[in-house]
Amino acid sequence: MTTTPTQAVHWDLHYDIHLGATWSRFMDGLRDQKILANVCPACDRVFVPPQAYCESCFERTDRWVELPPEGSLEVFTVAWHGFRGGPTPPYAIGGVRLDGASTLLMHWVIGLDFTEPATLLAQLPAGSRVRAVWAPQRSGQILDIAHFEPARD
Amino acid sequence: MSYRAAVVGAGITDATSPRKQQLSAVELCQQATWAALDHAGTTPDTLDGIVVGNIDGFEGTVLGARNLTRALGLGADLPVTIINTGGTTGGNLMQVAARMVRSGSHARVLCLGGPTFFGVRDLQSAINTNSPMIIEQPLGMGAYHMGAFAANAYRQRYGLTPEDLAAVVVADHEKASRNPHAHLRYTVTEDEVVNGRPLSSPLTQPMVCPVSAAAVAMIVADADDVDGLRSTPALIRAMGMSSDPYLGGGKGDFAEMQNLATLARRVYALADVRDPAAEFDVVEIFAPYAHMQPMQLEALQLAPPGGGVELIRSGATSAGGSLPTNLSGGPKCTNAGVAGELAPYAYAALQVMGAAPEPIQVPGARRALAHGTGGTFFQFENLAIFEALPRSDR
Ligand SMILES: [Zn+2]
């Protein structure tokens, strides 16, 4: 069967997303090498990234705390195959439970030996300690944390 | 008073790869719509509403659903409701249509899901635009990268092997091979699945759904006004939706589907289901990736924690088993975007109507569970329970 007739459509659009008060404060913190979280007054859950209200209690979050740049890697995946416009594979993305946080912070994880695909989970099993590595140049965005690396004390 | 809503007709087109599809999106939608009308034994003039969906950006337009409905040939006066809830759009269509009918504002509503993954050249790139901007989008995640988080967490929690995940895929393909509407109708071996091209660990290409082109339509109607209709209605006995936080990091635990478990308890209570594993004749769940079906079976109380793969390996979820699940082959073998998300509802309803494609019909099915999910990290869940509603006029 021959390929069916198609015609190309292309989008190339740029946007400016307004961060608002809560995420601006978080991003300002990253520039200063601080990870800021906020706390629900009703359930005491600690959100990072912070959020303006608690999605469980519908309460406004009112208290800010600084979290340490260390935590446990709960889960990760290695992207062997990426997509147009994305990072060059392979790269690892993980969910990090910073000490004191109730949520996971998603970020890149380094320190895996990609030449041993069968041992990936054994290399960084759930609960492995990781710490944030700061980007040398920071501009108030999530990639001010360059990535998380294994914390071997 | 409130009204009861039922599915009285469903139409599912055959699925192909986008490359081989000879019909346009509108033509596929017309085909599904006419098949649903024909199954119900009615005509467009008996409809009083359309609920249709699209996913912004996936079709190179944000007007996909609106443009579509004008071209269906159903007349110019039908009010159109457009659902645009990302990956969960298709699962929400029937929920919205059923609420319209239950409220009494509408009596006969067409639910239409088109082939929304049809045109985009790099679907993962499009899906990345749906991931939370600013915080998670810069990390480079498409659909299966985000899906892989749960696969790894679940594997670690219960010590599952790649072969265990592959067993789910083998079963799905076996089922799809018997469904005339399915896209991937070939069978596979565990070896082929495990050794497939790695996409995002632990998922290989055979563990991930295809991009399909197909359309699905259903007619949701007042269950007590079926004069002139040809079908045995599938009563929507209970339904519901539930959400996790939008950020992937807001999920409590990637190794279990807590949000779905919460929703299941609520929907089972509405239908007075007390022993789920014994009370459904057939189940259709939205499981596009290998790890999802076992995890969902567990969240739905159909398998014990960590026991989903064993249940699938036992044959219980195959044709003739005690809990036939995804006899359509599921979204693992056919995923046409909004149509793919509506499909579990259509197949489950068709089963209790006795009108599923003959090779996958469960003889005498009377009660079915249908499930949908979507969102970049599958934050959004929806469920419905159908029951055969024998016609009093026959
Ligand atoms: Zn709270």
Side-chain angles (χ1 to χ4, degrees), chain B residues 333-357:
Chain B
C333 294
T334 313
N335 190 354
V338 172
E341 298 142 18
L342 182 57
Y345 286 89
Y347 280 114
L350 284 169
Q351 287 282 1
V352 301
M353 298 167 90

Side-chain angles (χ1 to χ4, degrees), chain B residues 14 42 47 70 105 194 229 231:
Chain B
D14 291 350
T42 191
L47 299 174
R70 299 292 298 180
S105 67
V194 170
L229 295 184
S231 56

Side-chain angles (χ1 to χ4, degrees), chain A residues 40 43 54 57:
Chain A
C40 171
C43 68
C54 173
C57 310

Side-chain angles (χ1 to χ4, degrees), chain B residues 238-290:
Chain B
M239 61 180 191
M241 303 183 270
S242 183
S243 294
D244 261 345
Y246 177 47
L247 285 176
K251 251 193 197 316
D253 183 354
F254 274 95
E256 59 174 304
M257 296 186 170
Q258 296 168 329
N259 183 31
L260 179 58
T262 303
L263 176 62
R265 283 192 291 273
R266 205 166 82 211
V267 172
Y268 291 167
L270 286 172
D272 199 25
V273 169
R274 297 167 192 215
D275 182 4
E279 293 185 42
F280 296 113
D281 300 312
V282 59
V283 176
E284 285 280 341
I285 50 189
F286 194 78
Y289 305 146

